[in-house]
Amino acid sequence: MAEIEIDGGPADPARLAALGLLNYGHFTTLRAEAGRTRGLALHLDRLVRDCRTVFGAELDRSEVRTRIRRVLPADGAPVIVRVTVFDPALGLERPAAPATPHLLVTTRPAPAAAPGPLRVRTTAYRRELPEVKHVGLFGLLHQRRLAQLDGYDDALLLDEAGRLAEGATWNLALHDGRELVWPDAAALPGVTAALLARAHPGPQRREPVAADGLGRFVAAVAVNAGVGVRPIAAIDGTSFDPAHPAVAKLRAAYEALPREDI
């Protein structure tokens, strides 16, 4: 069953309305199972860093861990946990007022099975403040909707120079048959991407990747905390083999990473 709390107590309608109406805050999302998760320290680092950027305030890491533990299922079932940092006292007129961050912590059941390969369409779009995982998701969801209406599963964002940046809610990794390649463009520094980069046993590099230069790659994957490593079957008109050995190796490297106690 899904859980929702604010600062460890019931999520009262007034404070939820404040978040919904102002839509100013930031978050992180992680997958937890049996009280453990991958990359906990990186998720906490993100929340602390983004809180300074968004609110000019400090965040207590130990409090975040406590709030997450409160909402985890007693039976250890896998869930997706989202920690949203916001201040219900801020208003439209003075978002620069001194902020007191509050923690909205929610869960939803984790997917029971790995989702299938993605078919994605590129689109010229840049998130506001791409280095922050903020709650301004309208533009991303609109691009995802447009891609789905056009017969694709999701959108892959391009920067102003036409270079691959990031998916709507995931990071992109490509493999040229010899090395793992991370697109070098303004994008969210994803926790799962960072973990996979650490775990990958082979050579890797960052470089700009043009949308019209995908033919040299043999495999592509989308990575985020919810699904881990997900193969991409096609980007626009370029197809990739979802069953390529490089995909299996990336997935195995990620799944071998140890989980930390929350």
Side-chain angles (χ1 to χ4, degrees):
M1 183 176 65
E3 296 286 345
I4 177 169
E5 292 188 350
I6 296 178
D7 297 336
D12 59 281
R15 290 199 286 179
L16 283 176
L19 175 61
L21 294 173
L22 184 62
N23 198 37
Y24 188 79
H26 63 93
F27 70 101
T28 198
T29 301
L30 56 90
R31 180 185 174 107
E33 186 172 355
R36 299 167 67 83
T37 190
R38 294 184 179 94
L40 178 63
L42 294 179
H43 284 288
L44 297 176
D45 288 346
R46 163 188 281 164
L47 289 173
V48 170
R49 180 179 64 248
D50 288 356
C51 193
R52 291 171 181 158
T53 300
V54 174
F55 294 110
E58 295 298 319
L59 197 63
D60 187 334
R61 297 167 190 261
S62 62
E63 180 184 1
V64 175
R65 295 181 72 168
T66 298
R67 301 307 179 208
I68 295 174
R69 285 196 293 265
R70 278 185 54 88
V71 300
L72 296 179
D75 62 2
V79 291
I80 304 298
V81 181
R82 171 168 161 161
V83 180
T84 303
V85 183
F86 75 111
D87 184 353
L90 288 182
L92 289 170
E93 296 80 11
R94 281 200 54 80
T100 302
H102 294 257
L103 298 174
L104 169 67
V105 185
T106 64
T107 68
R108 67 179 189 271
L118 284 168
R119 293 180 63 254
V120 304
R121 185 187 72 173
T122 57
T123 185
Y125 183 83
R126 185 179 188 270
R127 289 191 309 113
E128 294 177 321
L129 210 62
E131 67 272 19
V132 171
K133 195 174 180 71
H134 54 74
V135 299
L137 299 178
F138 175 84
L140 295 175
L141 294 181
H142 185 59
Q143 294 301 328
R144 175 175 283 171
R145 180 177 188 272
L146 292 177
Q148 291 176 353
L149 290 174
D150 201 27
Y152 294 85
D153 298 309
D154 210 343
L156 175 57
L157 311 184
L158 303 176
D159 68 9
E160 298 87 346
R163 297 171 299 198
L164 305 180
E166 60 184 332
T169 55
W170 39 270
N171 288 112
L172 172 69
L174 302 151
H175 207 286
D176 64 6
R178 192 174 60 86
E179 290 189 69
L180 183 65
V181 177
W182 300 95
D184 189 9
L188 182 73
V191 168
T192 305
L195 292 173
L196 182 59
R198 292 179 185 178
H200 179 57
Q204 57 186 304
R205 66 185 189 274
R206 295 187 64 86
E207 67 178 44
V209 179
D212 59 2
L214 289 168
R216 60 194 173 97
F217 296 104
V218 298
V221 295
V223 296
N224 69 15
V227 299
V229 177
R230 183 177 183 180
I232 294 175
I235 300 176
D236 293 335
T238 302
S239 297
F240 305 96
D241 180 8
H244 193 280
V247 175
K249 289 180 181 178
L250 290 171
R251 181 177 283 153
Y254 177 72
E255 292 179 352
L257 287 167
R259 293 182 173 90
E260 306 169 52
D261 288 330
I262 298 172

